[in-house]
Each structure stands twice: as C-alpha cells, then as structure tokens.
Amino acid sequence: NFSFQGSVTPTPDRKAVLYASNENDVDRRHIWRVAVDHAGPVAVTSGASIEWAPVVTGDGATVVYLVDISHSIASRAIDQAADRIDALNAALRPDRARILTFGADTEAVSDTRALRSIASGQTRTSAARAGQTDIHRALVDARAELRPGESPRVVLFSDGRETRGDAEAAASVLGAEGVPVFVEPLDVKDLGDAWVDALRGRPAWPA
C-alpha cells in the first residue's frame, strides 16, 4: 500500500504523467512516472531525500550521472546503476546526458553499455584510480559538464565512503547554484566480489 499526494504533471508529449508517492518507501515521497496508455510506474527519484510537486523541464534538460567504481563498490551494483540510468533516461528524456565514472579522478564513458563492461571486468579504467574515492572531485567535474542555459541535475551513485575531499561542501556549492544532486546508494563489495591489484612482500635473498 502507498499514498499519493498533490496533482499530476503531464509530460509535454502528453504520453505520461509525473506524480509524488511513497510507493516502495513509506517514510519518504519520491517522483514517479507512468505512461497514460499502460500500467507500470517507473521511479524517477529515490534515496534519502524527499521530493514532491514534479515539474517537467523544458528544452535544455541535462543529467550528469556520477558512478562510483572505487574498490569498495560491488560489481553487481555498477551493473544495477547502468540499469537505473537507462530507466531514468527513459523517464526523464533529457536533451543531454553524460556518465562519469570516478574513484580518485573522473572519467567519462560513452553509455551504459560501457559501464556494464567495467562492471563485468571486460574494461579496466586507469584514469579513475579506483583505490581512492573523491566524491568532491566528481561533483566538481559534473558541474564542469553543464552548459549555460541548461536545466541541470546530477545523479550520484555511490556508497558514500569518500577517502578524500569534502562531498558535502561540493554538494552545497551546486545547490547554491541551482543544481540539484540526487543520491542513489550503491552496495559495497562482499567477500565473494573482489580483485587483487598487487602483491607486495620482502625479497628472498639467496643463502
């Protein structure tokens, strides 16, 4: 069971509506989208924040997705982030979307297919330096992706375990500039989901 609050907002093409509901999260309201010609709502927002009164952005809507690929993140969580990005793009239909992976640095990937390749281990990325997690740097780089006149939003996929920087400060700067940041939590690795970066030991000297 769930409750519905407020009015619905039609999309410009009149093929779907947006509304606020606490479906799947009884303590918080989030934005949902449902097509007018068939059932099956899709969550547009989620996480620890509360959203209501949805507004469909006009031309220039841009979404920057930040995906944490540091060593604390489970591979399956990166795969799930790709699925979530596909769902959000289908629901929001932004004019422009960018995906940035990050660890200590950020690196752009072309699409969710490339993101799934990273999750499966088929593609290894060195630029992101997955041994560290700098959410602050990722948010700053997301801001740099935005163009003047766009209607922006940033969606952050992470477990929140930053090892450097100040994510809260960076998010506050974006908020002051009118750039909302939505957080999608990612699962951490378990013992069955790991890789070895390097082995270090003392040299064995001949007798």
Side-chain angles (χ1 to χ4, degrees):
N1 296 326
F2 61 91
S3 63
F4 163 83
Q5 180 181 25
S7 59
V8 299
T9 301
T11 57
D13 58 9
R14 304 292 176 178
K15 293 182 178 180
V17 294
L18 300 175
Y19 62 94
S21 164
N22 67 346
E23 184 174 357
N24 295 340
D25 188 346
V26 296
D27 297 321
R28 303 174 183 85
R29 296 188 184 278
H30 300 297
I31 305 303
W32 291 76
R33 175 189 173 112
V34 64
V36 298
D37 58 352
H38 63 271
V42 175
V44 177
T45 63
S46 64
S49 59
I50 299 175
E51 301 85 35
W52 65 94
V55 176
V56 180
T57 58
D59 293 340
T62 297
V63 182
V64 179
Y65 299 104
L66 295 174
V67 183
D68 189 343
I69 62 168
S70 59
H71 288 177
S72 64
I73 302 296
S75 296
R76 68 179 180 278
I78 299 173
D79 219 8
Q80 291 166 354
D83 292 341
R84 181 67 175 143
I85 290 171
D86 284 339
L88 287 171
N89 282 338
L92 298 172
R93 297 183 181 180
D95 292 343
R96 194 169 67 92
R98 294 279 286 163
I99 302 175
L100 301 180
T101 59
F102 71 94
D105 305 312
T106 58
E107 182 175 15
V109 297
S110 57
D111 50 29
T112 53
R113 181 178 178 180
L115 191 58
R116 291 185 178 93
S117 182
I118 293 173
S120 68
Q122 296 177 17
T123 300
R124 293 297 299 273
T125 172
S126 58
R129 286 194 288 147
Q132 299 288 329
T133 305
D134 192 340
I135 301 174
H136 182 133
R137 169 72 179 272
L139 290 170
V140 170
D141 288 348
R143 177 65 183 87
E145 291 288 333
L146 302 174
R147 301 168 181 168
E150 291 182 329
S151 299
R153 75 163 56 193
V154 174
V155 181
L156 170 65
F157 294 85
S158 178
D159 62 358
R161 298 184 177 187
E162 58 182 334
T163 61
R164 56 195 296 183
D166 187 339
E168 185 174 349
S172 296
V173 171
L174 288 175
E177 294 180 350
V179 181
V181 178
F182 300 91
V183 178
E184 298 272 347
L186 293 184
D187 291 335
V188 299
K189 277 184 177 171
D190 56 36
L191 294 178
D193 184 11
W195 66 68
V196 176
D197 272 339
L199 295 175
R200 297 181 179 87
R202 296 179 179 177
W205 300 106

